[in-house]
Amino acid sequence: MVSMMILIFCFSGQTGDESGGLSGGICQFLVEKTEDIFSLHLSEEEKGQWIEKLQFPVRKGAHMGEYALLFSFVLFHFSVWEWGKTRKRMYCYSFLFTVCFAMTDEFHQLFISGRAGQIRDVGIDALGSLIMAIIVWNLGKMLKNRKENKKHLTF
């Protein structure tokens, strides 16, 4: 959990140019691999346009992924220590923890050159956490139902 928080903090500590370079490199890789796989023959201008179009979804997808992972780690931590006692409380506490961390992360970005703390990003981070919460909750229910069904089948 702490290592994920440090990783997020380090990513947020990158200047706007460093952060843009990282996501730009990922977008360039995606465009080049797509061009290779589908035997496309894109001009440099077309590649540049695709790279530019991918920047926003790649950056925000990374935000969501980081906070989805953080939610998972926090939930695991709360589950091990039984903080919250009930399953619903552990999920709520884990979600609130990740959203509070997202707010501090955006505050941190106010002090980084070329970066800006944005409420929209807190919402995107919260959405990543919420999606992971729904996935893990449903997986837990499926596993519980599967376990109960096996109990009924044994003689």
Side-chain angles (χ1 to χ4, degrees), residues 85-141:
K85 300 292 180 194
T86 68
R87 187 171 181 227
K88 284 182 184 178
R89 282 188 181 169
M90 283 189 276
Y91 276 72
C92 288
Y93 292 163
S94 299
F95 179 76
L96 289 173
F97 183 93
T98 55
V99 171
C100 288
F101 187 76
M103 289 188 282
T104 63
D105 180 50
E106 292 304 314
F107 180 73
H108 169 235
Q109 287 183 31
L110 293 173
F111 303 99
I112 307 298
S113 173
R115 301 295 291 268
Q118 298 181 349
I119 300 230
R120 176 186 68 187
D121 283 348
V122 173
I124 290 168
D125 299 341
L127 181 60
S129 296
L130 182 61
I131 290 169
M132 183 58 82
I134 292 168
I135 290 169
V136 174
W137 180 272
N138 286 322
L139 281 173
K141 284 177 70 173

Side-chain angles (χ1 to χ4, degrees), residues 73-83 90 93-94 97:
F73 294 145
V74 172
L75 180 64
F76 177 76
H77 183 78
F78 284 3
S79 298
V80 167
W81 292 99
E82 295 183 353
W83 290 351
M90 283 189 276
Y93 292 163
S94 299
F97 183 93

